[in-house]
Amino acid sequence: MSEDNPHSTSGSSNKGWLDKIVQTFTGEPKNKNELVTVIQDAESREVIDPETREMLEGVMEVSEMRVRDIMIPRAQMITIDINESVEQFLPGMLSSAHSRFPVISEDKDHIEGILLAKDLLQFAFNSEKEFSLKEVLRPAVIVPESKRVDVLLKEFRQQRYHMAIVVDEYGGVSGLVTIEDILELIVGEIEDEHDFDEKETDDIRPLNKFTYAVKALTPLDEFNDFFKTNFDLEEADTISGIVLKAFGHMPMRGEKVEISGLQFVITNSDKRRLIQLKVTLPETAE
């Protein structure tokens, strides 16, 4: 087949959904709002399914966000002191169910490296091998708060690392970000075997010591009981109503608001309703 004429009758019948979207409209979108309208119209015409539409909108949202908008705050970072023994830091590792941990020396501004939980396996089955935390550390990747999220995602993929330490303009550590945090903005909450605890309600699931995944339609009385809050039951039936009132508009994924000392981040929503929230307790909470 000639490279000057790469399209055949057979090839044209196999055009992807993106080609179909373009075919649906006579003109090209001139800005983001018009592009969103194109995507939503494509969904209504059943050219794409709702999940594809949500992912496309998530990609556009990510392109406008900075790392500071999605990072795990410094206060919620689970770290390991480089001077701790395995017996000292192992219980914390197991309870968090994370796979990567920043290792610090003096404080959280002094990051010595990243410990991967899997790197401890070589010592678990070889009692004669002497353990040295310094020897198993991976280099820490440092990124500024102002870095664009889509650029960081590209670097995550190209350089094959999954966590980065976030620093402010003065070089102080302000938080951390993982590739999962970014992907959840695009595809919604990513659940694994550690996200569900039979002791907890289906509507509220712990992600770590201070952070919870909460269904937006969680009954408000159930939310109050769990988080010891006092939201007015006459004001709303679900926590979604409280969050929507605080925003004053229909928020998009990644937007955040603080209510009664709790931080609410929208992790999944569509143009009509909130679906999933991430609720973070204040650092002083027990």
Side-chain angles (χ1 to χ4, degrees):
M1 181 185 299
S2 170
E3 293 184 358
D4 294 330
N5 185 23
H7 299 291
S8 65
T9 303
S10 174
S12 62
S13 64
N14 295 318
K15 289 184 177 180
W17 55 265
L18 204 52
D19 296 311
K20 294 178 183 177
I21 293 177
V22 175
Q23 284 184 334
T24 306
F25 301 91
T26 56
E28 295 182 357
K30 298 179 176 60
N31 53 52
K32 179 184 174 182
N33 291 335
E34 289 186 9
L35 181 55
V36 170
T37 301
V38 168
I39 294 172
Q40 293 174 346
D41 191 77
E43 179 191 2
S44 67
R45 294 169 183 260
E46 298 185 350
V47 177
I48 59 175
D49 56 36
E51 290 75 18
T52 302
R53 188 264 305 161
E54 289 182 5
M55 288 180 63
L56 290 171
E57 291 181 351
V59 169
M60 289 189 291
E61 292 169 19
V62 164
S63 68
E64 297 181 348
M65 299 179 74
R66 303 287 174 172
V67 170
R68 69 170 67 91
D69 300 321
I70 68 166
M71 69 181 183
I72 297 171
R74 173 190 176 111
Q76 270 74 61
M77 288 172 52
I78 299 177
T79 60
I80 294 173
D81 191 294
I82 197 167
N83 296 313
E84 288 182 320
S85 64
V86 177
E87 291 75 18
Q88 289 175 312
F89 68 70
L90 191 57
M93 288 183 62
L94 297 176
S95 64
S96 72
H98 292 173
S99 60
R100 293 170 173 80
F101 301 85
V103 176
I104 64 174
S105 53
E106 300 174 27
D107 54 35
K108 291 182 180 179
D109 283 325
H110 296 79
I111 304 292
E112 301 297 326
I114 304 296
L115 173 65
L116 273 60
K118 67 178 184 180
D119 288 341
L120 298 179
L121 292 176
Q122 59 181 307
F123 300 95
F125 302 101
N126 187 353
S127 58
E128 296 181 357
K129 190 170 185 178
E130 185 177 353
F131 174 76
S132 172
L133 183 55
K134 293 181 180 180
E135 292 182 4
V136 296
L137 290 186
R138 308 288 183 98
V141 176
I142 309 296
V143 300
E145 288 182 351
S146 57
K147 194 178 193 70
R148 281 174 41 184
V149 173
D150 57 343
V151 174
L152 179 59
L153 177 58
K154 184 177 181 180
E155 292 178 359
F156 273 146
R157 294 178 58 209
Q158 290 179 338
Q159 302 179 31
R160 298 187 178 183
Y161 56 86
H162 293 255
M163 173 185 285
I165 303 299
V166 185
V167 297
D168 59 25
E169 59 185 311
Y170 302 105
V173 172
S174 52
L176 64 81
V177 62
T178 68
I179 190 171
E180 183 179 90
D181 296 326
I182 303 176
L183 293 178
E184 286 183 344
L185 294 175
I186 300 174
V187 302
E189 194 75 22
I190 300 175
E191 301 180 2
D192 60 30
E193 65 272 21
H194 301 296
D195 287 336
F196 178 77
D197 187 338
E198 292 181 353
K199 297 179 182 178
E200 305 294 344
T201 172
D202 289 346
D203 294 331
I204 303 173
R205 301 187 310 280
L207 299 178
N208 58 46
K209 185 177 180 180
F210 295 98
T211 308
Y212 295 80
V214 178
K215 290 182 180 178
L217 294 182
T218 299
L220 192 54
D221 58 347
E222 182 180 311
F223 186 93
N224 281 339
D225 288 343
F226 188 92
F227 290 101
K228 310 304 180 186
T229 50
N230 295 298
F231 293 121
D232 191 349
L233 298 180
E234 295 184 0
E235 187 175 342
D237 294 326
T238 67
I239 189 59
S240 175
I242 299 296
V243 173
L244 284 173
K245 182 177 180 181
F247 274 107
H249 65 276
M250 178 57 69
M252 297 187 299
R253 279 184 287 184
E255 289 193 61
K256 62 183 69 174
V257 66
E258 185 172 313
I259 313 172
S260 299
L262 302 179
Q263 183 189 80
F264 293 80
V265 180
I266 310 303
T267 56
N268 197 1
S269 67
D270 57 32
K271 60 184 177 182
R272 299 179 302 276
R273 64 193 177 101
L274 302 182
I275 299 173
Q276 190 83 11
L277 310 170
K278 183 165 68 174
V279 179
T280 303
L281 306 177
E283 59 181 285
T284 56
E286 292 293 335

